[in-house]
Amino acid sequence: TTLTWTELCAADAVGDGAHKAFFIGTKRLCAVNHGGVFHVVDDLCTHGVAYLSDGYLDTDECVLECPLHGGLFSYHDGCPKGDPAEKPVRSYETRIVDGVVMVAL
Ligand code: FES
């Protein structure tokens, strides 16, 4: 499949150690800035209806904690890292071009 690089946000729109939701069209994504490197996953939890951007970000373990039941997901690859999370959230390649975070959809 061909990846389409799409603008997500300005690189300074998310501080180091912070996470935030962004929309591309109707697609809701969670962007994490960890040490100036951006990681992007689908924002909707795979266990229920909750947004990872509303939960806790743990940059020591590199996981997002779902605010509803505490499921953990790696923000590197979207893999489940703690119950009750079982199915991964989709993760996306990112790059920064001229101060803009680009995401490969
Ligand atoms: Fe996210 Fe249940 S809705 S862990």
Side-chain angles (χ1 to χ4, degrees), residues 65-90:
E65 181 181 9
C66 178
L68 196 50
H69 309 115
L72 301 174
F73 296 90
S74 164
Y75 55 71
H76 288 290
D77 59 11
C79 284
K81 293 292 181 187
D83 289 339
E86 288 182 345
K87 289 194 299 182
V89 289
R90 192 170 163 196

Side-chain angles (χ1 to χ4, degrees), residues 18-40:
H19 64 316
K20 195 171 175 182
F22 292 95
F23 286 89
I24 294 179
T26 57
K27 198 175 193 47
R28 182 171 169 142
L29 301 168
C30 179
V32 173
N33 176 347
H34 183 177
V37 177
F38 278 77
H39 307 274
V40 174

